[in-house]
Amino acid sequence: MQILVLGVNIFQRKDGTHGARIVVASTPRNPNTRGLVAAEFEVLPEVADTMKVFPGIYKLDLELPISTGYGRPNEVRPLVTGATLVAPVVPGKKDVPAS
């Protein structure tokens, strides 16, 4: 899947293990919503370390583990297991005439 990645957050949990999340943006499914919708995906910390260009279009490799909860419905939490930069997203430069 190719998607716009806005940033990454690498953190340390209380038990000392490292975790990471990326913030992605996509167009919403609801036609009444304008703009982009942001979401967070869990990402392996070693994959997050390789992501250096933000914002950028990345090709993400996803794993879709199903977590089962006692007394709660099952849920799928996407886990990013690989990321390849497709293209950086850079704001356009305005041409300034020389004086």
Side-chain angles (χ1 to χ4, degrees):
M1 158 172 61
Q2 291 185 6
I3 195 161
L4 174 62
V5 178
L6 300 175
V8 65
N9 178 20
I10 300 172
F11 55 90
Q12 185 173 2
R13 295 184 182 96
K14 290 181 181 178
D15 63 359
T17 59
H18 291 285
R21 292 188 186 102
I22 57 173
V23 178
V24 299
S26 184
T27 54
R29 289 185 184 177
N30 184 348
N32 295 328
T33 305
R34 289 183 249 156
L36 296 173
V37 174
E40 282 189 339
F41 288 163
E42 294 284 330
V43 61
L44 297 175
E46 55 270 17
V47 174
D49 287 338
T50 65
M51 302 173 79
K52 304 288 185 198
V53 179
F54 299 107
I57 305 292
Y58 282 86
K59 180 183 179 298
L60 302 179
D61 299 325
L62 293 175
E63 188 177 293
L64 298 172
I66 299 174
S67 62
T68 57
Y70 295 103
R72 295 184 312 210
N74 297 344
E75 64 180 4
V76 177
R77 298 179 119 186
L79 174 66
V80 179
T81 57
T84 306
L85 179 66
V86 175
V89 178
V90 181
K93 294 183 179 179
K94 297 180 182 177
D95 292 317
V96 178
S99 312

